[in-house]
Amino acid sequence: MSIDRMKSQISDKAGFIAALDQSGGSTPGALKAYGIPETAYSSDEEMFRLIHEMRVRIMTAPSFSGDKVIGAILFERTMDGEAKGKPVPTYLWEERGVVPFLKIDKGLEDEVNGVRMMKPMPELDKLLARAAKLGIYGTKERSVINLPNAEAIAAIVKQQFEIGHQVASHGLVPILEPEVLVKSPDKKGAEAILRDEVLKALDAMPGDYKIMLKVTIPEVADLYADIIKHPRMERLVALSGGYSLDESCARLKQNHGMIASFSRALLGGLHADASDAEFDATLSKTIDKIYDASVNKV
């Protein structure tokens, strides 16, 4: 079955997961970095059309394949779109060998007690059912931690695992993403609390499904080693979080068993005006660097 091959690839194959899931709030910045200013579009529809074209250009580039990019996280509109006449999830898996994931959160609440919880997702079951039909393998949901507030971080983890359980009930694999901000005034302290809360939550998980975890690359190397080894964990992946490509890769190399799931660090250097050959050469160089950091540890 396709799902078994996807699971084997995500669980065991060398490589990394591309994060192509910029949503409404982050799309203008992504387009600007790509060389398309806000003056180039006058509506959300035009903006999303332009970002979809950028993503399709990435997904159809020769270097973007399952040889090194084992998975890709998609924005809902990207999942619903097409690449070369096929639904994007189908194209990614059948033509590129890349396992498709879907970003499911609807944004963040305002910061309270040093964290930002996910907003309610009343239509989540409908979205998950649709995603499963479209061939999506798993999902990703993001919340944010700024301060080392133990009670607030415990609430973040609780919400993440509850949504993860809902995702798993649809046969999908959840990627939980409690992001500790790289600019946190006590990133190390927040990460230590997060690790302990995640381990407790893993031990208390119902059922027999597995989850994935996406975290900021920690200040203490191999901080999440016990999480990686936990029997309920499918894979641990890292976000770049605003670090440059070089710094993200250098930090990642210090953490054994952790692979990349970069967004900004992956897309940096790509430009709308580049020829297809130039575009792929830039993307290929970045893919090689992220792959190397995900595989070769010091």
Side-chain angles (χ1 to χ4, degrees), residues 208-226:
D208 60 358
Y209 59 91
K210 290 190 175 185
I211 65 162
M212 296 172 64
L213 185 69
K214 181 170 179 175
V215 292
T216 313
I217 306 170
E219 294 301 296
V220 177
D222 290 330
L223 177 72
Y224 298 114
D226 288 344

Side-chain angles (χ1 to χ4, degrees), residues 14-15 252 258-259 290-297:
L252 182 59
M258 178 184 284
I259 66 171
I290 298 174
Y291 177 85
D292 180 69
S294 294
V295 175
N296 299 315
K297 307 295 183 180

Side-chain angles (χ1 to χ4, degrees), residues 99-221:
V99 176
F101 290 81
L102 173 67
K103 166 189 159 66
I104 59 170
D105 66 84
K106 300 301 181 184
L108 302 171
E109 303 280 13
D110 292 337
E111 183 171 319
V112 176
N113 295 326
V115 305
R116 298 185 68 185
M117 304 282 283
M118 291 181 284
K119 289 182 177 178
M121 294 174 257
E123 302 294 317
L124 181 56
D125 282 316
K126 291 180 182 179
L127 176 60
L128 295 172
R130 189 158 59 83
K133 285 185 178 180
L134 285 168
I136 292 291
Y137 174 76
T139 64
K140 190 211 76 169
E141 62 200 51
R142 174 179 176 262
S143 46
V144 164
I145 298 166
N146 184 32
L147 301 176
N149 182 313
E151 184 176 343
I153 293 174
I156 283 275
V157 171
K158 182 175 185 290
Q159 184 189 42
Q160 283 279 344
F161 274 80
E162 286 174 349
I163 297 297
H165 184 67
Q166 188 175 353
V167 169
S169 73
H170 288 263
L172 302 171
V173 177
I175 302 177
L176 314 186
E177 185 185 13
E179 174 183 355
V180 177
L181 295 177
V182 299
K183 294 182 179 179
S184 165
D186 186 3
K187 181 170 177 281
K188 182 179 177 181
E191 287 169 340
I193 296 169
L194 176 63
R195 175 204 55 199
D196 293 346
E197 290 298 329
V198 168
L199 282 170
K200 286 192 288 186
L202 283 168
D203 287 341
M205 274 176 61
D208 60 358
Y209 59 91
K210 290 190 175 185
I211 65 162
M212 296 172 64
L213 185 69
K214 181 170 179 175
V215 292
T216 313
I217 306 170
E219 294 301 296
V220 177

